[in-house]
Amino acid sequence: MTTATLLARALPPQVVKDLLVRDDAGRAAVPFTDDEGGAPLRCCLRRSRPGERIALVSYAPLRRWAAETGVDPGAYDEQGPVFVHAEGCTGPEGDRLPFTSAHRVLRRYSADGRILGGRLVEAPEDFAPALREAFAEKAVALVHVRAVEYGCFLYEVRCG
């Protein structure tokens, strides 16, 4: 398996549109102008630029994946804050693995939505090997990449 087969998945445009109307916690989005930039956008998998309109919304990544696949995530269903563009987004540029320049947790999930384990990745050069290791385990269906400092969901990786 090569890093080209590891697909970082941004939030789909329709999901972003839905979250801006009512997020996964049932709240309406409150867009704002990001004066400083630097927020990790989950719709295009890049950092925001100063002056962009963004919103912080609640997102339930495993719940949405479970609805797509027909499984019940049970107690592993959780929601948390994510930044998205408030007004249209062109999506990711390229197929690189984003947000790898800081410590990250790779959380592994099975096809029935259960956590299989996790791994702390500290160095950018260890990121792709850690993902390959995760998907070498046959029971792993997807991996959530999360920020260490807040535990926030950054994106999902599937092998394809």
Side-chain angles (χ1 to χ4, degrees), residues 7-124:
L7 306 172
R9 298 173 55 99
L11 298 188
Q14 186 59 51
V15 169
V16 173
K17 186 176 179 181
D18 294 346
L19 291 171
L20 290 170
V21 172
R22 184 119 352 252
D23 70 14
D24 287 345
R27 297 180 187 93
V30 180
F32 63 96
T33 300
D34 185 0
D35 293 326
E36 296 180 19
L41 297 165
R42 283 29 170 245
C43 50
C44 55
L45 302 179
R46 68 165 174 82
R47 298 223 177 252
S48 62
R49 297 179 183 113
E52 285 188 299
R53 297 278 297 160
I54 64 174
L56 183 62
V57 297
S58 185
Y59 177 63
L62 194 60
R63 181 185 314 160
R64 289 190 177 258
W65 172 82
E68 178 185 314
T69 59
V71 300
D72 177 8
Y76 295 108
D77 180 21
E78 62 182 334
Q79 62 193 31
V82 296
F83 289 101
V84 295
H85 274 115
E87 302 161 346
C89 177
T90 58
E93 297 173 3
D95 59 358
R96 69 184 181 4
L97 293 170
F99 308 128
T100 60
S101 61
H103 294 163
R104 300 291 179 227
V105 171
L106 305 183
R107 190 183 296 170
R108 304 171 185 191
Y109 289 90
S110 67
D112 62 355
R114 303 299 182 249
I115 294 176
L116 295 174
R119 178 175 172 186
L120 175 65
V121 179
E122 299 180 78

